[in-house]
Amino acid sequence: RVPVALFTLSAIAVVVLAFLMGPGPFANALTRGLTPWAEHPVFANTQIEIVSPEGGNGSVAVGRDIAIKVKLSGKVPEPGAPDASTLWVWNTPEQPPVGIPMNPGSDPAREPNVWIASVTKDLVQMGFWYRVTAGDNRTTDHRVEVRLDLFIQSATSRVNPPEYLGLEPVEGTEPAITAIKGSKITISGIASGDLRSAEMAFYSGPEKRLERTKATLDPKDPKRFTISTMAAESGQYHLRIVNTAGDPYEGPLSPITVNEDQKPVIKLVPPASMPAKMRLVDTEVFQFQITDDFGLAGVSGYLALPGGKKIPLTASGLPTLPGSKPVQAIEVSNANGNCQRDRRSCPGTHPR
């Protein structure tokens, strides 16, 4: 009967201790006695769940602060209490942890029971370990690494002039871009890290109207992106990219200059004697000075006679203008009017 009595007294003592200590602390004390190697309480009145960084471990861009968020439930101590929620941070294994009090989040309706503490860049340094304590509980140790700042390693531009001009594409590496109105502008870039998104912001007009053009990311290499737009008017642009960690980068403003394709200019060189008199059977040479900003596709003309009759003229001696291909002399047998004509036009446009 003595063993039975001792067992009865022990059971009563266990029940009394559990009542006095509470179920959580009593279970923790019992667990520590049975498993002294455990790092933290197995049963706790306060539960801690790390919300951000997701999973506990994370990274932060160099020279930036980072917020640690946890969700507390159960018995949550008040701020300022001895066992209040605290973020402990250290940079090396030998360094004593620095305690940072945690505070309730600013938007409890959207993030209920979330507590936040910020690690400033002077504590981030080249990375740190951290843990969170609250009430009778604590998390395991986690690591936050430092990553390099996001930036654009290289960017190239390709300007495809309108097809009617017959000009070759122009490629460049300078951020300043010059294009003929109606050209297609393509910008290809490579970022320092994998991207979530990229875009071009274009500002035009006195009121600085903003137009955003989203980029296409390379599915095989998320560091690469391509942006295409049409040259409609001059303005300024910059590239904006965001990496997979959410870090943004915005490049400097650079100009896009859009030039109009001007109409050809035709100037008659007067004959030696004015006014010129000739018979229908005579031959007379008329000289014209014709200029165009991007070269000529052809020149045609006719002699208008009284009564509406038109006699086609033969054009010869056409020049090779800067930026154009050599133009062969042509003879027009079916004139469509006294006109100016470049590669933009069908016969009969730009009448004079």
Side-chain angles (χ1 to χ4, degrees), residues 331-350:
E331 180 175 351
V332 180
S333 59
N334 185 18
N336 289 279
N338 183 19
C339 66
Q340 295 171 313
R341 204 168 54 160
D342 65 5
R343 284 188 176 92
R344 291 175 300 179
S345 60
C346 296
T349 59
H350 314 320

Side-chain angles (χ1 to χ4, degrees), residues 4-36:
V4 174
L6 290 175
F7 175 79
T8 303
L9 290 174
S10 299
I12 294 173
V14 169
V15 172
V16 171
L17 286 173
F19 176 78
L20 293 176
M21 297 178 63
F26 174 76
N28 292 333
L30 181 62
T31 302
R32 281 195 296 268
L34 297 176
T35 57

Side-chain angles (χ1 to χ4, degrees), residues 146-326:
V146 172
R147 60 182 181 272
L148 294 176
D149 279 336
L150 179 67
F151 62 95
I152 297 176
Q153 291 182 336
S154 64
T156 60
S157 64
R158 180 182 176 92
V159 178
N160 289 79
E163 292 184 3
Y164 67 77
L165 289 175
L167 300 178
E168 296 295 327
V170 178
E171 297 183 350
T173 57
E174 294 298 324
I177 299 174
T178 301
I180 306 165
K181 188 173 183 179
S183 299
K184 181 181 179 181
I185 301 174
T186 302
I187 299 175
S188 301
I190 304 176
S192 60
D194 291 350
L195 297 179
R196 177 192 301 172
S197 64
E199 67 177 13
M200 181 180 76
F202 179 70
Y203 304 88
S204 61
E207 65 278 17
K208 302 294 183 183
R209 297 189 310 275
L210 173 60
E211 178 183 351
R212 298 184 183 275
T213 304
K214 291 186 177 181
T216 300
L217 302 183
D218 187 340
K220 296 182 180 179
D221 186 357
K223 296 183 179 67
R224 297 177 178 270
F225 63 93
T226 303
I227 300 173
S228 295
T229 186
M230 300 302 294
E233 58 182 326
S234 299
Q236 291 184 308
Y237 78 98
H238 63 71
L239 302 178
R240 186 179 189 273
I241 57 177
V242 180
N243 65 11
T244 52
D247 298 326
Y249 169 80
E250 194 169 274
L253 282 172
S254 301
I256 293 181
T257 303
V258 176
N259 297 319
E260 294 278 355
D261 181 10
Q262 304 297 324
K263 296 179 180 180
V265 177
I266 302 176
K267 181 180 179 182
L268 171 65
V269 179
S273 60
M274 287 294 290
K277 297 180 180 180
M278 59 181 295
R279 299 174 301 171
L280 290 177
V281 294
D282 292 339
T283 299
E284 182 68 37
V285 176
F286 293 88
Q287 293 185 357
F288 297 85
Q289 292 179 348
I290 307 174
T291 58
D292 185 72
D293 47 359
F294 297 111
L296 299 170
V299 177
S300 63
Y302 62 86
L303 180 64
L305 300 178
K309 187 176 181 180
K310 299 177 181 179
I311 300 177
L313 302 178
T314 299
S316 61
L318 298 180
T320 298
L321 300 180
S324 70
K325 298 178 181 179

Side-chain angles (χ1 to χ4, degrees), residues 9-91:
L9 290 174
S10 299
I12 294 173
V14 169
V15 172
V16 171
L17 286 173
F19 176 78
L20 293 176
M21 297 178 63
F26 174 76
N28 292 333
L30 181 62
T31 302
R32 281 195 296 268
L34 297 176
T35 57
W37 57 84
E39 293 187 0
H40 58 86
V42 176
F43 304 99
N45 292 320
T46 304
Q47 286 76 49
I48 309 173
E49 176 189 352
I50 297 178
V51 177
S52 179
E54 185 177 357
N57 296 326
S59 63
V60 61
V62 63
R64 297 191 181 183
D65 304 342
I66 183 173
I68 306 297
K69 297 182 180 181
V70 298
K71 186 175 183 179
L72 302 181
S73 57
K75 186 179 179 181
V76 180
E78 295 291 331
D83 59 349
S85 178
T86 304
L87 172 66
W88 300 93
V89 176
W90 64 99
N91 300 103

